[in-house]
Amino acid sequence: MDPNSITFAFFLIFSGAAVLASVALYTRQPMLIAYIALGALIGPYGMGYVTDLKLLSDIAHFGIIFLLFLLGLDMQPQALISTMKKASWVAMISSVAFAAIGYGVAWSFSFTHTESVIVGAAMMFSSTIIGIKLLPTTVLHHRHMGEMMIGLLLIQDVIAIFVLLILLSGDVGEFDLMLLGKTVIALPLFILFAIGFVKYILLKLIQTFDRFHEYIFLLAIGWCLGMAEAAHMVGLSAEIGAFIAGISLATSPISQYIAVNLKPLRDFFLVLFFFSLGARFDLSLLGSILLPAAILALLIIGLKPVIYYGLLRNVSERKPLAWDIGFRLGQISEFSLLIAYVATGASLIGKEASHLIQATAIITFVISSYIVIFNCMTPIAVSDKLRRD
């Protein structure tokens, strides 16, 4: 078999993931840690068995898109709007605090002002993948905690779009006002288009051909990816497009049928996402960024729950809920990785600063996952008392 073929790469990834996931389950570890470890082991900076990371990264992006689409299917629009009124204040204040932490650590380790600003920006967000993947679907998605978490994550996604707009313009602190205006105008129009299309076209097609399950499956995938691509074209993110596609279908009786049938496809792509995360990390740079990455990760993991707790209590959330959300969002985000890749490509930061963000992401992903599975309700909790799905 050709070692450079995508078939051989998929064989190594999924066979290796199955082996390491078995070890992880026997030892009561989160499976996503197995996927990251496998990427580091057989990726280009490990044994070098899988080298086409650009293709794998692009494929893995589908996992995030499907995750947001399924998330939208589980949300009721009225409940989300109500929750986001509280979440917007919490998200804005917390983002400023996390950015200050990232900037301070990077600056203290002699990174440039621009690099420190970008490191700080990467610390503002929490992981949608970790937060939602470890959230029990049937227990919490329709409860207030799930709604508040999703509201926070969505507002962070909007903030991330503005950060990326600034980075893509080439100079930190400068951005294209025309592009920004286009994005601001595009979002409400995009939402109205989605609602209208679902009401007058999509639901009629579903009602007419609902006995053909294969057709419903294809229609759902087409709607999800079509809206993701359309969002990208008008200056939004593909993730937000997929979420809007899902939430516009949420009031339909068919939404839960679609959600159940697309979950295996989502999990397939998420394995590739975590594999590519481990595989893209250059281990030769670990020595130069390990200390600042460890300090930054520990500060993020230690302070994010406390900051979220204080802000959520200030908007009248209960203590247990405030702590639970704080621990579940106690890591940085896949958007942080995207910021690192974009900033490196634009020559705004060096490889060390980029790998500082990547190392911090990996450390916080791993430790945060351990905290959640040992202390919170989740499908992969160590304790039977906490295991929910």
Side-chain angles (χ1 to χ4, degrees):
M1 183 175 288
D2 181 5
N4 296 316
S5 72
I6 191 67
T7 305
F8 184 67
F10 273 35
F11 157 70
L12 290 176
I13 292 169
F14 286 96
S15 297
V19 172
L20 291 187
S22 299
V23 174
L25 289 175
Y26 271 115
T27 55
R28 299 291 184 107
Q29 310 299 315
M31 286 193 294
L32 63 90
I33 294 172
Y35 308 148
I36 295 172
L38 180 67
L41 182 64
I42 67 174
Y45 301 110
M47 297 180 179
Y49 292 138
V50 178
T51 57
D52 194 352
L53 291 182
K54 176 67 169 61
L55 176 61
L56 292 177
S57 179
D58 289 343
I59 294 173
H61 189 231
F62 282 100
I64 305 173
I65 289 173
F66 280 117
L67 180 69
L68 269 292
F69 179 62
L70 296 178
L71 188 59
L73 288 172
D74 275 323
M75 292 298 300
Q76 294 302 312
Q78 293 301 321
L80 181 62
I81 291 170
S82 174
T83 303
M84 287 185 73
K85 292 177 181 177
K86 285 185 178 180
S88 58
W89 184 85
V90 175
M92 296 296 289
I93 299 298
S94 62
S95 294
V96 173
F98 304 146
I101 293 169
Y103 179 89
V105 172
W107 181 255
S108 67
F109 279 91
S110 302
F111 287 94
T112 68
H113 171 70
T114 298
E115 289 177 330
S116 299
V117 168
I118 293 174
V119 170
M123 299 302 112
M124 293 195 295
F125 317 111
S126 296
S127 172
T128 301
I129 290 181
I130 302 293
I132 303 305
K133 189 171 177 60
L134 297 182
L135 189 68
T137 303
T138 56
V139 176
L140 296 176
H141 270 187
H142 296 290
R143 294 187 182 178
H144 180 62
M145 191 189 82
E147 292 167 354
M148 179 59 76
M149 272 187 62
I150 292 162
L152 284 167
L153 290 167
L154 284 175
I155 294 168
Q156 289 182 0
D157 286 352
V158 173
I159 296 171
I161 291 170
F162 286 103
V163 172
L164 290 170
L165 283 175
I166 294 171
L167 294 178
L168 290 169
S169 68
D171 294 300
V172 176
E174 300 178 9
F175 55 91
D176 188 337
L177 285 174
M178 289 292 291
L179 186 60
L180 179 61
K182 177 183 173 184
T183 302
V184 171
I185 295 170
L187 183 58
L189 293 177
F190 195 76
I191 293 171
L192 290 174
F193 167 77
I195 294 171
F197 192 90
V198 167
K199 183 177 180 180
Y200 295 109
I201 298 177
L202 207 64
L203 289 182
K204 292 185 184 300
L205 289 172
I206 290 173
Q207 290 167 3
T208 303
F209 302 110
D210 61 352
R211 63 187 181 278
F212 298 103
H213 294 180
E214 181 181 350
Y215 175 75
I216 302 299
F217 178 76
L218 291 173
L219 197 65
I221 293 178
W223 176 239
C224 169
L225 297 181
M227 288 291 284
E229 185 61 27
H232 179 71
M233 290 172 63
V234 299
L236 302 170
S237 73
E239 291 80 8
I240 284 184
F243 179 79
I244 293 172
I247 203 168
S248 63
L249 270 175
T251 56
S252 166
I254 201 73
S255 62
Q256 289 308 302
Y257 171 81
I258 295 172
V260 169
N261 280 272
L262 286 185
K263 278 183 180 178
L265 194 60
R266 173 207 65 181
D267 291 340
F268 173 86
F269 288 116
L270 287 182
V271 170
L272 293 175
F273 171 82
F274 287 111
F275 174 86
S276 66
L277 174 59
R280 294 175 73 166
F281 189 83
D282 187 348
L283 297 173
S284 66
L285 294 174
L286 188 61
S288 61
I289 53 89
L290 181 59
L291 180 60
I295 292 173
L296 185 53
L298 290 175
L299 285 173
I300 290 296
I301 291 167
L303 293 178
K304 271 201 173 187
V306 175
I307 292 171
Y308 277 128
Y309 172 80
L311 293 173
L312 288 167
R313 288 289 293 153
N314 197 56
V315 292
S316 304
E317 297 296 345
R318 294 179 296 107
K319 285 185 179 180
L321 182 143
W323 278 122
D324 205 332
I325 292 177
F327 285 123
R328 290 180 184 275
L329 300 182
Q331 69 291 115
I332 64 173
S333 170
E334 52 277 358
F335 269 117
S336 306
L337 298 169
L338 184 57
I339 287 170
Y341 301 147
V342 169
T344 304
S347 300
L348 295 171
I349 62 174
K351 289 188 68 176
E352 288 79 9
S354 176
H355 278 69
L356 170 61
I357 297 172
Q358 294 176 52
T360 304
I362 293 172
I363 295 169
T364 59
F365 281 6
V366 171
I367 297 178
S368 175
S369 298
Y370 275 113
I371 291 172
V372 172
I373 67 168
F374 278 101
N375 296 282
C376 304
M377 287 190 294
T378 175
I380 58 172
V382 172
S383 166
D384 292 336
K385 182 180 178 181
L386 295 175
R387 193 175 301 121
R388 297 286 190 279
D389 199 3

